[in-house]
Amino acid sequence: MNLADSEEMFAQLAARGFVQTDCLEQADVVLINTCTVRDHAEHKAVSFLGRLGAWKREKPGRRIIFAGCAAQRLGQQLKKQFPFLDLLSGAKEIEQFGDTLDESSLFPPAAPQGEILSPGLTGYVTIMRGCNFACTYCIVPSVRGPIKCLPVADILANVHRKVKAGAKEIMLLGQTVNAYKDGTCSFADLMNKTTEIPGVERVRFTSPHPIYFTPEFLSAVKDNPKIAKHVHMPAQSGSSKVLSEMKRGYTREILLEKIQELKAVGFQISTDLIVGFPTETEDDFNQTLSLVEQAGFSAAFCYKYSPRQGTPAAQMKLHPQNVLEQRLDILLNKVRSLAEDAYQAQIGSVQEVLMESPEKGRSSSNFWVQTKQAHPVGSIVRTEIEKADGTLLFARN
Ligand code: SF4
């Protein structure tokens, strides 16, 4: 989501005559787009901002913009701490970023047609902002606010722009992306409409919430070959007790039911898991291990619980670090070996691979595939899988 937001903000700067550079010394403006989901990410962004004080003093006229979730959460206190900071733009104001630049009088006026940053093969398209849940460990609802779905016409216009700039694959984005609705247009309708745009070869989405995977959604998308058969669905825990204390809105049983329904129509599923939530007992942790086995995830990102100031869970008593580390270690080992099994299970299958380099690409179900021959970047190659090694598949041609 931050990549998509950065592209959107860059388009506003490009409309005012700026071009992108990776070289700090060449830059006239630094835009720091921040994340605040984890404490560590926020610290890194703020300490980078602190180091930019010297950069700004080197040349008059240099400008610094601090944007995104950490800007929303920390607000004006950042201006007090870093008086050289020129502009703050919180996560709730990304759509008004152009107005923020104009009101500051620090930037030239916008040209009518802003240049779009080349998106590469994947065009990230935000379809909604905010979240209506209140998971007890999560800071997102307080910095991004409740759900706001973007109009379907604006989303499709954005997809057209991304395709024109070279994207082959479109990634639809939202905190609970499958809760999308605009009038009578559901998330499934939006997915199907996106695949109808000439030049779109594949559509992905992230992050969905399990409860919004309805049978209607599955029957609407299952036969559309342009919809990637992969879902990254955060489970967070395998214990119904912990899921309820996290206020996730589902039980282990509901989660497993959704996973079975998705698998029945050909989706591979990856997930996020948290170990060491404050109320997690040894038995709860073992239920997460058994969920991983039962669900057959193709991949899982595993995190130690870390408290976020201002969330209900931050008031709870923490587990000692060694307990968190031990549980993470056990979970990672299990996830690694099950992921290798998932790759082995693909041998003999036929996969459609979108080539991201001449000899490597990603299958519809999100496995990395190495081909024998070189293929044009951006082409879709239909090929049989010959062997698997760790987390890489090898194609017959
Ligand atoms: S669903 Fe829960 S974890 Fe995800 S963004 Fe919303 S509150 Fe946070």
Side-chain angles (χ1 to χ4, degrees):
M1 292 193 76
N2 269 23
L3 282 176
D5 290 346
S6 298
E7 277 181 17
E8 233 172 88
M9 288 189 275
F10 174 73
Q12 289 295 339
L13 287 166
R16 288 159 179 79
F18 292 88
V19 292
Q20 205 194 17
T21 173
D22 291 332
C23 174
L24 188 61
E25 279 315 302
Q26 283 176 1
D28 298 308
V29 178
V30 171
L31 165 63
I32 310 169
N33 187 19
T34 59
C35 173
T36 191
V37 165
R38 290 170 65 84
D39 205 31
H40 183 61
E42 189 177 290
H43 276 300
K44 269 175 80 172
V46 172
S47 89
F48 179 59
L49 171 61
R51 293 200 301 278
L52 284 180
W55 169 84
K56 193 164 170 192
R57 281 192 298 275
E58 273 171 23
K59 229 192 223 177
R62 281 178 165 173
R63 278 149 282 174
I64 303 172
I65 309 169
F66 196 82
C69 287
Q72 188 74 46
R73 200 181 84 77
L74 300 169
Q76 292 303 323
Q77 86 176 61
L78 279 169
K79 281 215 165 177
K80 280 195 202 129
Q81 198 181 347
F82 304 104
F84 54 82
L85 172 62
D86 296 290
L87 219 55
L88 267 171
S89 180
K92 290 180 188 163
E93 293 145 27
I94 286 171
E95 279 152 76
Q96 292 83 45
F97 186 65
D99 298 337
T100 309
L101 295 179
D102 292 341
E103 282 157 19
S104 73
S105 311
L106 292 169
F107 296 86
Q113 191 68 53
E115 181 194 325
I116 175 167
L117 186 64
S118 168
L121 277 184
T122 303
Y124 295 97
V125 175
T126 299
I127 66 167
M128 61 152 66
R129 299 189 187 278
C131 178
N132 287 351
F133 281 85
C135 300
T136 52
Y137 55 84
C138 181
I139 192 90
V140 169
S142 70
V143 289
R144 292 205 167 230
I147 285 183
K148 192 173 149 237
C149 293
L150 274 60
V152 66
D154 293 2
I155 294 169
L156 296 178
N158 199 2
V159 172
H160 272 289
R161 287 167 64 226
K162 295 278 152 90
V163 171
K164 206 169 150 215
K168 303 275 182 200
E169 176 179 86
I170 296 296
M171 174 76 91
L172 302 178
L173 299 168
Q175 298 292 346
T176 52
V177 72
N178 50 343
Y180 179 86
K181 197 153 186 50
D182 177 31
T184 56
C185 180
S186 68
F187 181 58
D189 297 335
L190 177 66
M191 298 265 289
N192 285 327
K193 279 180 202 287
T194 305
T195 62
E196 284 160 17
I197 292 177
V200 172
E201 300 290 348
R202 185 179 277 172
V203 179
R204 296 187 185 276
F205 56 93
T206 204
S207 294
H209 191 284
I211 65 162
Y212 296 109
F213 280 123
T214 57
E216 296 74 47
F217 168 84
L218 294 173
S219 66
V221 303
K222 75 176 191 310
D223 294 325
N224 187 335
K226 289 192 176 179
I227 293 178
K229 294 295 176 285
H230 170 252
V231 173
H232 183 79
M233 183 166 74
Q236 309 302 19
S237 171
S239 154
S240 291
K241 175 186 134 271
V242 172
L243 289 169
S244 149
E245 284 149 358
M246 288 175 164
K247 289 215 167 103
R248 289 289 296 164
Y250 52 84
T251 59
R252 174 195 175 98
E253 290 68 36
I254 293 175
L255 187 64
L256 282 167
E257 201 180 289
K258 299 289 176 189
I259 290 170
Q260 288 322 318
E261 287 169 3
L262 285 160
K263 284 192 158 182
V265 291
F267 282 91
Q268 290 283 337
I269 299 153
S270 58
T271 197
D272 292 332
L273 295 162
I274 298 173
V275 297
F277 186 73
T279 59
E280 184 190 77
T281 62
E282 201 60 37
D283 180 52
D284 294 321
F285 173 62
N286 285 332
Q287 289 187 47
T288 297
L289 293 178
S290 84
L291 176 88
V292 167
E293 268 181 22
Q294 225 177 318
F297 296 119
S298 58
F301 297 100
C302 308
Y303 303 92
K304 286 185 286 186
Y305 169 75
S306 78
R308 292 303 286 118
Q309 203 192 332
T311 61
Q315 312 296 322
M316 300 176 184
K317 190 167 177 289
L318 295 179
H319 286 292
Q321 270 304 314
N322 63 332
V323 171
L324 297 189
E325 269 152 32
Q326 205 182 17
R327 288 184 188 172
L328 182 66
D329 228 38
I330 297 170
L331 181 62
L332 282 174
N333 280 331
K334 170 138 316 233
V335 161
R336 231 172 264 135
S337 91
L338 289 169
E340 286 178 16
D341 292 350
Y343 273 72
Q344 288 292 331
Q346 304 310 309
I347 297 173
S349 68
V350 173
Q351 305 272 341
E352 291 199 342
V353 184
L354 175 60
M355 301 307 293
E356 297 195 12
S357 71
E359 286 170 2
K360 209 168 167 192
R362 263 184 315 144
S363 72
S364 167
S365 42
N366 211 29
F367 292 109
W368 280 104
V369 181
Q370 174 97 47
T371 57
K372 270 193 191 138
Q373 298 149 19
H375 300 275
V377 172
S379 63
I380 297 233
V381 175
R382 202 175 149 79
T383 181
E384 191 185 331
I385 302 303
E386 226 178 16
K387 60 176 182 159
D389 186 5
T391 50
L392 185 61
L393 301 177
F394 293 84
R396 190 169 294 283
N397 53 345

